[in-house]
Amino acid sequence: MPASHAMSASATVPIEVHLTDDDLHETLREEVAAGLTADPKWLSPKWFYDDRGSELFDEITRLPEYYPTEAERRILARHAAEIAAATGAEVLVELGSGTSDKTRLLLDALVATGVHTFVPFDVSEGILRYAAAVLDDRYPDLGVVGVVGDFERHLDELPTPGCRTVALLGSTIGNLDPEQRACFLATMAEVLEPGEALLLGTDLIKDRPRLLAAYDDPGGVTAAFNRNVLAVLNRELGADFELASFDHEARWNEPQHRIEMWLRSSEAQTVQVADLGLSVDFARGEGVRTELSTKFDRDLVTADVCAAGFRAAGWWTDDPGDFAVSLWRR
């Protein structure tokens, strides 16, 4: 399950909890039952991030082949003041906030332009309390209100203490399939008031070898990260996956302009998921899709977001054009 952190939030930082550990475990049960009985099989990438998965992903972000994290960081570092001025926000909400590390580049500029409240929103109460304490200490004049929730279920629980900009960074929107993206954007359009804004980070389409290298590094870190989801199921649901019998595969789906990560069974085998009373047969070479990462260009982002009722308000990229941060006004 999500990573835990020892530090607790400052007593002055309110945390609204709309997703308990029991809720999260029940969601895991429901999604794994649905995914492992589907054709083709799938698992949600949200289950990658237990303590070990979070460590592995942090290692991935520092690999020379994996460009998105640093590309987005460079954009925020260079254009933070311009982005802050364009938002016109009084409140910044960050979905999937994690430790809010990159977001501090924005917050420094946003505080100077009048933002008085920051709302980190994450599924992990532990990591949220840790981040809230750090932010409360760093920005003593900024109100911090943490929200524990799933942005696919709890967007209507966002606090409304002023004109908001909602940020979804890290190209997280690319992990949603087209139907999920349309649903998310439509819900955002319902939740936000006219004049409020959405700030998106999106990975951009580039040559296939470079994309594949970013998701299949020669050192095998991404492969270990991918297999770790099976370790999560073993621990949380009493499954008996043999991690070594599943091979990591990253492939480019050209029609959907997305990278897909798969785990392929190296032999015919049957896996038991004890807590679900589920027996899952795998043929030799059969795969389970664990993540998709859609890549965009400006036209694709514009089409998706404007269809939900937003208008363009800003577009920033790094020098090579690897990544984009864009602002959309409701």
Side-chain angles (χ1 to χ4, degrees):
M1 305 300 281
S4 60
H5 290 261
M7 183 183 288
S8 62
S10 161
T12 63
V13 179
I15 304 289
E16 300 178 6
V17 180
H18 302 289
L19 184 71
T20 66
D21 287 345
D22 287 344
D23 295 332
L24 203 57
H25 189 75
E26 185 56 32
T27 300
L28 172 67
R29 289 173 54 87
E30 292 171 359
E31 290 193 355
V32 170
L36 291 184
T37 56
D39 184 19
K41 297 177 175 67
W42 59 269
L43 293 168
S44 170
K46 73 178 70 169
W47 310 118
F48 281 134
Y49 298 97
D50 65 347
D51 285 339
R52 179 57 180 153
S54 296
E55 290 170 0
L56 286 166
F57 184 71
D58 185 60
E59 191 175 341
I60 287 169
T61 65
R62 297 194 297 272
L63 293 171
E65 297 85 3
Y66 191 82
Y67 59 85
T69 302
E70 283 308 308
E72 186 176 49
R73 188 187 303 277
R74 286 193 296 270
I75 295 168
L76 295 176
R78 177 178 293 185
H79 299 288
E82 187 180 348
I83 294 170
T87 66
E90 299 170 319
V91 178
L92 176 67
V93 179
E94 184 183 13
L95 304 180
S97 54
T99 60
S100 297
D101 178 48
K102 283 181 296 188
T103 316
R104 294 171 213 174
L105 296 167
L106 263 181
L107 279 173
D108 291 341
L110 285 163
V111 168
T113 62
V115 164
H116 56 67
T117 303
F118 177 55
V119 182
F121 183 110
D122 202 89
V123 296
S124 170
E125 183 174 353
I127 199 168
L128 193 68
R129 289 187 177 277
Y130 166 78
V134 172
L135 292 163
D136 189 51
D137 184 61
R138 176 165 176 164
Y139 302 99
D141 297 324
L142 182 69
V144 179
V145 181
V147 178
V148 181
D150 183 338
F151 69 71
E152 293 186 76
R153 296 165 52 195
H154 300 113
L155 287 178
D156 57 352
E157 304 291 350
L158 294 178
T160 57
C163 182
R164 298 168 296 177
T165 288
V166 175
L168 184 63
L169 300 175
S171 205
T172 301
I173 196 168
N175 297 139
L176 306 178
D177 66 29
E179 183 177 341
Q180 291 171 320
R181 282 203 309 275
C183 182
F184 166 77
L185 291 167
T187 303
M188 282 298 343
E190 292 175 3
V191 167
L192 293 179
E193 299 291 337
E196 294 186 321
L198 176 64
L199 186 69
L200 282 180
T202 48
D203 196 8
L204 301 179
I205 296 171
K206 52 190 63 66
D207 64 278
R208 180 175 174 273
R210 188 155 174 241
L211 285 168
L212 289 173
Y215 293 85
D216 193 9
D217 63 282
V221 181
T222 312
F225 174 70
N226 197 7
R227 290 190 191 95
N228 185 67
V229 72
L230 303 182
V232 171
L233 302 194
N234 287 350
R235 183 181 66 248
E236 299 292 335
L237 297 178
D240 62 356
F241 284 97
E242 289 288 344
L243 275 60
S245 68
F246 285 85
D247 297 324
H248 168 68
E249 178 190 23
R251 73 184 190 200
W252 175 241
N253 181 330
E254 180 66 37
Q256 295 290 331
H257 42 86
R258 70 192 189 195
I259 288 285
E260 297 176 355
M261 291 210 314
W262 292 76
L263 289 168
R264 295 214 171 271
S265 179
S266 59
E267 59 191 49
Q269 59 181 305
T270 299
V271 173
Q272 305 295 332
V273 188
D275 289 7
L276 301 179
L278 189 63
S279 181
V280 186
D281 293 326
F282 286 88
R284 180 183 176 89
E286 183 180 0
V288 51
R289 193 188 75 197
T290 55
E291 185 179 54
L292 56 85
S293 184
T294 303
K295 308 307 173 185
F296 300 87
D297 60 23
R298 190 168 185 168
D299 289 344
L300 288 168
V301 179
T302 300
D304 278 2
V305 183
C306 290
F310 292 85
R311 60 178 175 82
W315 179 272
W316 300 270
T317 65
D318 59 329
D319 286 341
D322 287 337
F323 202 93
V325 173
S326 56
L327 185 69
W328 307 88
R329 187 83 60 200
R330 174 69 174 93

